[in-house]
Every structure is written in C-alpha cells, then in structure tokens.
Amino acid sequence: MSEHQKKTIFSGVQPSGKLTLGNYLGAIRNFPLLQEEYQCIYCVVDLHAITVRQEPAALRRQTLEVLAQYIACGLDPEKSILFIQSHVPAHAELAWILNCYTMFGEASRMTQFKDKAAKHSDNVNVGLFDYPVLMAADILLYQADLVPVGVDQLQHIELTRNIAQRFNGVYSDTFTMPEPYIPKAGAKIMSLTDPTRKMSKSDQNPGGFVLLMDKPDDILRKFKRAVTDSDNRIVVRDDKPGVSNLITIYALATGQTIQQVEEQFAGKGYGELKPAVGEAVVELLRPIREKTEDLLKNKDYLEQVYTAGAQKASALARKTLDKVYRKVGFIKR
Ligand code: ATP
Ligand code: LTN
C-alpha cells in the first residue's frame, strides 16, 4: 500500500519523568504493532510537559530518554515518524486556532485538569487548563485516524472529536475524525501501593510504580511489597483491585489470558504470585532497558532520528495548517 492510502496513527508521551510499566502496557507496547499497515507518527510532547514545572536539564534528559525508549520498544525510525513536539511549531499554532473553537465550559469538565490542579495547587497555570486543546491540535494536525492511549486519555480524545466536529461544521470537512485505540487489557495499570489509583510516574511514593529503567532487584522488591488483600484467592474481581492488577500485569508480561493465569495459580497463595509477577516483568523489561541504555550512549544517532522526524512531520503539519488558515480567513503569506 502506498503512503498516501495508509491510515494515520498519532500518539504522544510526555517527558515529564521516567516512563512506567503503566505507560508501556497501556500505550507504548501498542505503538509498533501497527507500524506496517499504518503511517505512524509518534511524538515526545515536551510542550505538554511544561504545564507542570520541570527542571530544564532533567527535561532535556527525559526527552531523549523517551525517544530512545520508543525505539527500544520496537519503533523503527525508518517506518514511523519519531519527533519532538517543540521542533514542529505548527502544534502551538494550531492549538491557538482551536482555542477559539473550544468552549470554556467543555474544557472545564476535563477530569485530568481537576486532578492535576489539585495535585499542583501552587501552579494552576493556563497551560494546564489548555493542555487538552494542544492535544487536539497534535492529533488533528496529522489527520490521524487512530490514537493509541491508556483509558485516562479517552475524555481528551472525545474533546478532540467535538472540536473537530465543530470546526468541520462551520467550515466544511477539514479534519479527520480520530478514534481512540485502547487496549482490552492494560488500559489502566494501577499503583502497586494503592491499587485504587492509576500507576503514575509522578507518584510521591516510588514503591507504587515500576519504571522501564528500574533494575531487576528493585522490580522484584516492588512486586513483593505490592498491596493485595487478606482473602488469598488469585482471581480478577472488582473487590480485589491489587490482585486483579497483578494478574493483569502477569498475563500481559507472559502473553497469557487472564483465565490461563487464574488457572495457573489456582490453589496457590500470594507468596507465589508476587515473585512470579516480578520475575516476568524483569524479563519483559530487560531488553528494553538494555536497548535504551545503548541508544542513550549514541546521541548523534538520536539527533539524526529526531531531526529527520521533525522534517517529515513539519511537511505534513503544514498542509493542514495552511488549509485551516485559508478556511478561517487569514491572508496567504
Ligand atoms: P503524569 O503521571 O506525568 O501525568 P502519565 O504517565 O499519566 O504522566 P503520559 O506520560 O503522557 O502521562 O502517558 C503516556 C501514555 O501512557 C498515555 O497514553 C496514557 O494514557 C498512558 N498511561 C499512563 N499511565 C497509565 C497507566 N497507569 N495504565 C495504562 N496506561 C497509562
Ligand atoms: N495527554 C497525553 C499525551 C499526549 C497525547 C497527544 C496522546 C499529548 N498529545 C496526542 C495522544 C495523542 C497523556 O498521555 N498524558
């Protein structure tokens, strides 16, 4: 199939910290799967990351690390477009336009904004509020058909669709209507210390998350201390969030179904389950960590990848932006 006929996939990950097992199982793991059939565009969204204070040197390091991890997780820069959001100014330009087609009321309903505003009450900046509109710009700029994300991003994709529909309604078809691509298992990996909350890289307690770059001993220790419950049965059930989370992680790490895992551990206790999950995750992450470490030693190669990526992304983005500028009535430069 030629590049023109292929459908487009777009997704992004924030370089706001080190990537977790949640980021991997909910999103990044799916990125390479569709690399052959789709035109895939994956971005490191640094403009999004500064909605929360970042230390500049750490942000630079984390941005390169996310790019390296994209490649380590199976993305091939020859097949997919990999780039850094701030290198393509069209994202910020389209975001401004879309701001004027987003209602204050609908943006106010975003639960991620409410959560983050509560978490960072000393810095509730306008960028944090506007974050979903920038995300809509990311997606619509490339006329993406499909957006692989974890379930926490579903509300933002629905907002993106509403903005696209409103704009298309006023100016005739301009944007492709994107669909979310959310995995059946792994769409919301929970914290190991509080399984009622999502595993998040910005958690205060590092025992709650597993990082892709964690050393095997740390991974094993975190799983041994994972919160479960007192009933000792190894089954997925709503009232057993900790055990359900461990079973889900084990199933994904070993390529089994939930049912197969429940059968494997029938009659066994948490004392067997926890180290088994830890070991499976160590083996799942080992090649990713090693490949990332290698790639980070080769900054020239990473620079080549993001430079070429930004060039290709800019050309695609420009087409949409020109069309939008024309439709809203801006004079051609
Ligand atoms: P932060 O904690 O800084 O808000 P985050 O990890 O929630 O960051 P991103 O890094 O932007 O946010 O997330 C990248 C992708 O990982 C998104 O598609 C998101 O839905 C997915 N994701 C994040 N956390 C999880 C999780 N616990 N389970 C499944 N998917 C997740
Ligand atoms: N908001 C997303 C990251 C993100 C994104 C995107 C995901 C920014 N722009 C475009 C998909 C498509 C998050 O995971 N926190």
Side-chain angles (χ1 to χ4, degrees):
M1 207 186 285
S2 86
E3 294 293 310
H4 300 294
Q5 292 163 329
K6 280 186 180 173
K7 289 197 171 211
T8 300
I9 291 192
F10 182 93
S11 195
V13 172
Q14 300 188 76
S16 51
K18 294 187 172 290
L19 297 190
T20 68
L21 183 64
N23 297 133
Y24 180 69
L25 295 179
I28 304 171
R29 178 176 64 104
N30 296 315
F31 290 1
L33 300 181
L34 303 156
Q35 217 171 191
E36 312 295 332
E37 298 104 277
Y38 288 79
Q39 158 78 77
C40 292
I41 308 172
Y42 294 113
C43 182
V44 185
V45 291
D46 52 353
L47 298 179
H48 279 91
I50 61 160
T51 55
V52 168
R53 284 286 173 269
Q54 303 291 338
E55 206 266 297
L59 182 60
R60 261 188 287 277
R61 206 173 43 244
Q62 286 155 196
T63 301
L64 277 189
E65 197 168 294
V66 175
L67 182 76
Q69 286 181 327
Y70 276 170
I71 302 169
C73 291
L75 286 175
D76 176 351
E78 301 294 320
K79 294 183 185 152
S80 297
I81 300 177
L82 309 181
F83 74 106
I84 297 167
Q85 190 183 28
S86 62
H87 292 180
V88 179
H91 290 251
E93 295 177 80
L94 183 61
W96 175 256
I97 309 268
L98 297 183
N99 275 329
C100 304
Y101 299 83
T102 306
M103 297 303 118
F104 190 82
E106 65 186 342
S108 307
R109 286 196 287 276
M110 296 297 112
T111 56
Q112 182 182 288
F113 170 71
K114 290 182 210 166
D115 293 347
K116 290 211 169 175
K119 213 156 140 192
H120 305 278
S121 56
D122 55 335
N123 180 25
V124 185
N125 60 76
V126 178
L128 191 63
F129 184 71
D130 203 27
Y131 176 116
V133 183
L134 179 59
M135 178 163 161
D138 298 339
I139 296 168
L140 299 178
L141 208 42
Y142 299 97
Q143 308 289 354
D145 297 280
L146 216 53
V147 185
V149 281
V151 78
D152 61 311
Q153 296 302 310
L154 188 57
Q155 198 186 27
H156 291 164
I157 297 184
E158 279 161 5
L159 177 74
T160 302
R161 289 170 58 90
N162 288 342
I163 298 171
Q165 198 165 29
R166 184 172 299 125
F167 195 97
N168 287 351
V170 177
Y171 299 103
S172 79
D173 264 5
T174 309
F175 297 122
T176 302
M177 206 50 86
E179 299 282 345
Y181 178 95
I182 294 174
K184 281 201 184 68
K188 193 171 186 188
I189 298 296
M190 309 311 279
S191 157
L192 299 184
T193 48
D194 177 0
T196 60
R197 292 198 356 247
K198 162 185 119 138
M199 182 181 284
S200 168
K201 55 173 119 83
S202 45
D203 195 338
Q204 295 297 326
N205 177 359
F209 53 72
V210 170
L211 300 175
L212 300 190
M213 299 305 278
D214 271 347
K215 296 274 181 290
D217 284 350
D218 294 325
I219 299 177
L220 293 172
R221 186 172 34 81
K222 287 179 184 182
F223 278 105
K224 277 193 187 132
R225 294 192 186 154
V227 168
T228 46
D229 54 44
S230 55
D231 137 292
N232 224 27
R233 283 196 59 213
I234 300 177
V235 288
V236 168
R237 234 172 44 204
D238 284 353
D239 63 341
K240 293 170 71 71
V243 176
S244 302
N245 194 40
L246 293 178
I247 295 176
T248 303
I249 294 172
Y250 187 75
L252 290 167
T254 57
Q256 298 182 80
T257 64
I258 300 284
Q259 206 190 341
Q260 285 170 326
V261 177
E262 286 176 342
E263 279 162 18
Q264 182 184 336
F265 286 99
K268 296 184 179 154
Y270 300 157
E272 281 181 76
L273 175 69
K274 291 186 188 185
V277 184
E279 273 154 33
V281 170
V282 165
E283 290 320 314
L284 176 74
L285 299 185
R286 187 191 303 281
I288 299 174
R289 175 168 51 83
E290 288 173 356
K291 183 99 201 277
T292 306
E293 281 165 357
D294 277 352
L295 286 161
L296 286 171
K297 286 184 202 136
N298 195 346
K299 299 274 178 343
D300 290 348
Y301 171 69
L302 293 176
E303 186 179 332
Q304 251 173 44
V305 169
Y306 68 67
T307 307
Q311 241 168 32
K312 290 184 222 160
S314 293
L316 295 169
R318 201 71 238 171
K319 274 197 208 157
T320 301
L321 200 61
D322 283 349
K323 188 158 131 190
V324 169
Y325 276 20
R326 187 161 33 78
K327 293 217 179 185
V328 299
F330 293 168
I331 288 179
K332 198 169 161 44
R333 26 175 178 174

